[in-house]
Amino acid sequence: MTGSSTTTDRSQAPIGTTVAESTPHWDPPKRPPEGAPNVVVIVLDDTGFAHLGCYGSDIDTPNIDRLAAGGLRYTNFHTTALCSPTRACLLTGRNHHSVGMRFISNIDSGFSNCRGVISPTAATMAEILDQHGYGTFALGKWHLATLEDCSPAGPMDHWPLQRGFDRYYGFMGGATDQFSPELTIDNHPVDPPQRDGYHVSEDLVDQAIAMITAHQGSAPGNRFLAYLAFGATHSPHQAPPGYVEKYRGRYDDGWDVVRQRWFENQLAMGIVPEGTTLAPRNPGVEPWDELPEANKALYARMQEAFAGFLDHTDDQIGRLIGFLEQLDLLDDTMIVLLSDNGASREGGKHGTLNELAFFNEIRTPVADMLDRVDEIGGPNIYNNYPWGWAQVGNTPLRYFKSNTYEGGIRDPLIVHWPNGIADAGGLRDQYHHVADVLPTVLDCVGVDAPSDYRGVPQQPIEGTSFRYTFDAPAEPTRKTTQYYEMVGHRAIWHDGWKAVTMHERGTPFEDDVWALYHTDEDFSECHDLAAEQPEKLRDLVDRWWVEAGRYNVLPLDDRGAAELFVIRRPGHQPPGNRQRFYPTSPHLERSKTPDVRNRSFEIRARVSRTSASGSAGEDGVLVASGARTGGYTLYVQDDRLCFVYNRLGTMYELLAKDPLPTGELDLVVRYRKSGDHAGVAELLVRPVGDEGTGARVELSLTAGPVETLPYRQTTYGMDIGRDAGPTVSARYEGPFPYRGALHWVEWELDHDRADLVKAAEVELANQLADQ
């Protein structure tokens, strides 16, 4: 063989037979452009337009205020009105329907605008910056993967590490217990920390600091993206006691007085223009002075908990700012801080001590909540404030989260970048949208979005960079049009005018009544001009339909959570009526647990017991699904089998009187429906090995009625062989691991539920049609 060189592709140097005849080649390292900043994106949850101190409130947020004083505050910034869609826009620079996130990520409706994940045709901020040499870290709330996929089995295509982030530490769902969170590290779930004084907001900042420290220590000066999405201030409103107690009595004047005070602060700060009208109370919000004294006492405590929660979060942001300053990184870091939607009305008229009640459409009487008023803000309560306080958070605007009125979509935005912004403390009133954040970041970094990412052609960026506003406070907005749609509510803004409609679920969309506002002159949408300018309104509504066609908004869908949550993608049904889990199973997110809603079922735990009766040497939890807010647990205590169904704090308990025998046993709870969401549970012991004899030995220990929840059973997932989270029952202290030999836990589920029968009929009809 001769030593002549061979040809190669253009990306490599020639390769010969030997090293002496060949030229080595390395691809150039990935580097950001000269002068590109680090990027930190901080996302608050359910924080309204007025909640921050620098936007008018009296809640102490000195660290966020510091960012505002050293950067820019935007007063005409908008989101999608809901969390997952806003995050999809934020990370992709496209509209949420365009990338498949019409609603929250829990839902895949089967339509391309509502898949519960971000389309691979829309690369995320992390995916783009990773290509330019950035280290990428995500912390906190994700809520951008369908919850059916958020188990150790995946698929993990849309988890943070698969969407461009190098590291992840946080929670995959929409909310979590702040004292005992459902945590995921990178691609695997972990048990919540058990240490005293733990709070997830502190933990997230600790982890952010650790990730940046490791990155800078290993590669000094390399650029990084840190995406920090707090659980705050989504419910549960939980904070260390000192933060809640700090606000004791501050809101005793009530929401009308506080709202007026915050509005006056906004006027004085220039957050809202002179001449703005404070919107009237939203429907259902009663005058504070007309409320019973007991109600006032309860509602004030709920607002104190919210304020303490935000105050505590601000302190954690302050720790991160101080860390960046200590490393001399603050001036060279672009910090973007925003909220994902307006303040939430999900607490209802009276607030709630358990938001699981809200999702089950159950209301707790005020008198019952007053009995636990001193626990509000603490670890045993999953509280959310009443909608009167949510409207205060949206001052001076109308309506709430999920509405396309300004109270749902106009949110705080702060940009802090000393090396890139000269007008420290400035205000900006150009109209912009959350889809504009990514193109702004790319503009500041100095890179373009790719037309192709890893072989997948990319959708064009739909947002508009607002970097021009950094140095041009008076320049007119470069964004001319933005549509909105959320659970059937619709709106469109165009050149200073807005048309908006509130859709009544279950009614024809063509019956919706549109209002018209000149928002350039009517900040709070108080002066409806629809009757005076019908041609302007018609033009805007026609534009909405054009935008809807352009950005994949159709089909319109006003189904509620109760209907949408039961949709299961083909291939994501549980494997038949029987599911088995082993004690080595990691924590399972609630969407992957056996669906026991409104059906008969049996849970069997196979154990081998050797200890003598009464020794309590083989006690512990066999399975726990849920938390202190609701769920069920099957456990052995003092050698007795026990089952507890926690219905929003009401405990249905079956406690066996007699100790368990030794040997190989199936420890069983059998539940038989007697009506919708009600039935009888029975504890049984079955010695193993009698199945083949034809004589099934079964010992009934105890039985009793159990009333179950209709829709969502828990706010927390499931553990086998322990109760690792906020325990379902107070009769034991977690994690209370089972000390004996547990082989497996198995569910057998009946089909005595109307929607399951209907689904089976539809499936059979489809099979017959295919034949």
Side-chain angles (χ1 to χ4, degrees):
M1 184 174 186
T2 63
S4 60
S5 63
T6 60
T7 58
T8 185
D9 64 60
R10 296 178 181 178
S11 67
Q12 295 182 3
I15 301 298
T17 303
T18 67
V19 170
E21 297 167 334
S22 306
T23 304
H25 169 83
W26 292 271
D27 291 329
K30 296 184 291 186
R31 300 279 189 208
E34 189 69 27
N38 301 306
V39 180
V40 173
V41 179
I42 300 173
V43 184
L44 300 175
D45 201 329
D46 289 0
T47 304
F49 179 75
H51 269 140
L52 306 179
C54 53
Y55 278 80
S57 89
D58 61 5
I59 299 172
D60 294 333
T61 58
N63 297 292
I64 296 174
D65 299 350
R66 176 188 172 186
L67 294 177
L72 300 173
R73 278 171 294 171
Y74 287 79
T75 62
N76 210 355
F77 174 73
H78 295 77
T79 59
T80 69
L82 208 61
C83 52
S84 296
T86 288
R87 292 156 203 267
C89 293
L90 170 67
L91 290 177
T92 69
R94 285 92 167 176
N95 288 295
H96 59 110
H97 298 86
S98 295
V99 301
M101 196 67 73
R102 174 192 162 267
F103 193 45
I104 55 177
S105 69
N106 308 53
I107 306 302
D108 179 353
S109 71
F111 297 106
S112 63
N113 65 5
C114 188
R115 304 320 302 257
V117 297
I118 295 171
S119 169
T121 59
T124 68
M125 187 184 298
E127 288 171 324
I128 296 170
L129 294 185
D130 172 75
Q131 289 192 322
H132 294 278
Y134 275 70
T136 54
F137 319 122
L139 302 110
K141 175 174 173 175
W142 184 240
H143 212 202
L144 292 171
T146 51
L147 293 189
E148 287 181 340
D149 295 342
C150 293
S151 80
M156 300 175 182
D157 307 41
H158 298 280
W159 288 35
L161 266 60
Q162 282 64 247
R163 292 311 308 251
F165 288 99
D166 299 326
R167 294 294 315 278
Y168 175 62
Y169 186 97
F171 52 98
M172 296 293 291
T176 196
D177 190 298
Q178 301 295 300
F179 294 112
S180 189
E182 288 185 280
L183 289 175
T184 295
I185 296 178
D186 297 333
N187 279 340
H188 64 277
V190 296
D191 290 344
Q194 300 291 326
R195 62 182 181 269
D196 291 342
Y198 175 87
H199 193 283
V200 70
S201 296
E202 298 174 15
D203 193 8
L204 294 178
V205 171
D206 288 343
Q207 297 296 327
I209 289 172
M211 290 179 188
I212 296 170
T213 298
H215 180 263
Q216 292 296 293
S218 302
N222 277 19
R223 304 291 87 179
F224 61 84
L225 162 68
Y227 173 71
L228 174 57
F230 285 102
T233 52
H234 195 291
S235 65
H237 298 159
Q238 297 170 318
Y243 285 89
V244 177
E245 292 162 4
K246 172 181 176 180
Y247 290 89
R248 191 74 76 231
R250 187 176 297 192
Y251 300 109
D252 289 355
D253 288 343
W255 48 58
D256 293 324
V257 170
V258 173
R259 187 164 172 253
Q260 180 66 38
R261 184 164 67 237
W262 289 12
F263 177 55
E264 291 170 1
N265 291 343
Q266 291 176 324
L267 287 169
M269 291 176 171
I271 295 295
V272 302
E274 290 293 334
T276 296
T277 301
L278 180 62
R281 295 185 199 91
N282 291 327
V285 177
E286 298 177 284
W288 183 267
D289 288 345
E290 297 177 11
L291 294 172
E293 291 303 313
N295 293 47
K296 292 179 181 179
L298 175 68
Y299 301 164
R301 285 291 189 94
M302 290 179 169
Q303 174 65 6
E304 291 165 8
F306 177 90
F309 192 20
L310 179 55
D311 189 330
H312 177 255
T313 308
D314 179 81
D315 272 358
Q316 309 322 307
I317 293 171
R319 290 201 299 121
L320 180 59
I321 295 170
F323 163 75
L324 294 173
E325 192 170 36
Q326 182 181 357
L327 266 63
D328 199 25
L329 295 172
L330 185 61
D331 289 352
D332 201 20
T333 298
M334 180 182 181
I335 300 176
V336 180
L337 183 145
L338 68 153
S339 175
D340 61 355
N341 46 246
S344 170
R345 61 171 293 173
E346 290 165 0
K349 182 175 182 178
H350 301 296
T352 181
L353 302 188
N354 186 347
E355 195 165 86
L356 187 58
F358 169 83
F359 291 114
N360 282 283
E361 300 178 2
I362 295 170
R363 295 291 174 260
T364 305
V366 168
D368 291 350
M369 290 192 282
L370 271 172
D371 290 341
R372 304 187 68 185
V373 69
D374 290 332
E375 297 180 63
I376 291 174
N380 295 316
I381 297 290
Y382 207 96
N383 55 287
N384 199 351
Y385 55 16
W387 58 39
W389 288 118
Q391 184 167 10
V392 174
N394 292 331
T395 302
L397 311 170
R398 302 176 67 185
Y399 297 108
F400 309 99
K401 170 185 177 180
S402 85
N403 301 136
T404 52
Y405 273 80
E406 295 293 282
I409 61 176
R410 191 188 291 248
D411 287 292
L413 170 69
I414 297 169
V415 181
H416 180 277
W417 180 23
N419 286 354
I421 297 174
D423 186 19
L427 294 173
R428 297 293 184 268
D429 64 1
Q430 291 93 340
Y431 193 100
H432 277 284
H433 183 263
V434 65
D436 303 335
V437 172
L438 178 126
T440 304
V441 169
L442 298 187
D443 195 357
C444 294
V445 169
V447 300
D448 295 323
S451 59
D452 179 279
Y453 180 76
R454 295 187 174 177
V456 179
Q458 296 291 289
Q459 300 171 230
I461 295 293
E462 295 165 359
T464 302
S465 171
F466 53 79
R467 186 180 184 181
Y468 71 93
T469 66
F470 292 1
D471 301 318
E475 181 171 338
T477 183
R478 295 183 184 176
K479 194 175 191 74
T480 58
T481 307
Q482 181 62 50
Y483 82 92
Y484 299 88
E485 187 278 332
M486 189 54 63
V487 292
H489 305 313
R490 292 174 283 164
I492 186 167
W493 179 91
H494 177 73
D495 286 345
W497 290 81
K498 181 180 174 185
V500 59
T501 182
M502 293 272 281
H503 176 72
E504 183 177 347
R505 189 174 150 222
T507 64
F509 286 99
E510 56 268 27
D511 292 349
D512 289 349
V513 177
W514 290 80
L516 175 68
Y517 300 101
H518 190 187
T519 54
D520 276 1
E521 299 178 2
D522 183 9
F523 190 95
S524 52
E525 297 174 312
C526 287
H527 308 289
D528 183 2
L529 303 176
E532 299 174 30
Q533 301 205 40
E535 292 184 4
K536 170 65 76 174
L537 177 61
R538 189 177 306 112
D539 173 68
L540 285 174
V541 174
D542 289 345
R543 284 181 184 273
W544 187 91
W545 285 104
V546 171
E547 298 296 289
R550 178 178 297 159
Y551 296 117
N552 198 35
V553 178
L554 306 178
L556 292 172
D557 189 348
D558 66 352
R559 288 176 292 177
E563 298 161 285
L564 291 169
F565 282 166
V566 299
I567 296 174
R568 296 273 181 158
R569 301 196 308 258
H572 280 69
Q573 300 288 352
N577 295 344
R578 186 169 293 181
Q579 293 177 262
R580 180 177 289 184
F581 299 89
Y582 296 89
T584 52
S585 299
H587 177 79
L588 286 177
E589 201 281 335
R590 64 176 182 269
S591 294
K592 297 298 288 187
T593 62
D595 184 2
V596 300
R597 291 174 298 172
N598 200 24
R599 68 198 305 178
S600 300
F601 62 87
E602 186 172 288
I603 304 172
R604 296 183 289 271
R606 179 156 296 182
V607 301
S608 295
R609 294 185 62 82
T610 60
S611 63
S613 298
S615 70
E618 297 180 19
D619 285 1
V621 171
L622 301 165
V623 59
S625 180
R628 63 177 70 91
T629 53
Y632 59 86
T633 177
L634 180 66
Y635 63 99
V636 178
Q637 190 170 49
D638 296 329
D639 232 15
R640 273 77 171 167
L641 185 62
C642 310
F643 174 75
V644 175
Y645 185 91
N646 178 344
R647 187 185 187 277
L648 304 177
T650 298
M651 300 295 179
Y652 293 89
E653 299 179 318
L654 301 182
L655 308 176
K657 295 181 180 178
D658 298 322
L660 291 168
T662 58
E664 191 170 11
L665 311 169
D666 283 348
L667 307 182
V668 180
V669 57
R670 183 168 63 195
Y671 175 79
R672 292 291 176 260
K673 276 182 61 176
S674 59
D676 277 347
H677 321 303
V680 175
E682 183 180 13
L683 286 181
L684 307 166
V685 173
R686 294 179 188 143
V688 175
D690 298 304
E691 295 88 343
T693 67
R696 189 181 191 186
V697 177
E698 187 172 86
L699 173 65
S700 176
L701 300 180
T702 185
V706 175
E707 185 179 0
T708 62
L709 291 171
Y711 304 127
R712 184 183 294 185
Q713 298 296 303
T714 75
T715 57
Y716 193 86
M718 183 176 79
D719 292 300
I720 303 295
R722 67 197 193 285
D723 190 344
T727 58
V728 176
S729 171
R731 285 188 174 270
Y732 55 79
E733 184 176 341
F736 196 33
Y738 185 68
R739 300 298 185 187
L742 171 63
H743 302 295
W744 44 255
V745 183
E746 186 172 78
W747 280 253
E748 188 167 342
L749 308 170
D750 284 3
H751 273 306
D752 53 347
R753 197 171 89 190
D755 63 316
L756 294 171
V757 173
K758 182 178 179 181
E761 292 172 350
V762 171
E763 184 176 354
L764 177 61
N766 290 339
Q767 291 173 353
L768 293 173
D770 291 338
Q771 293 177 355

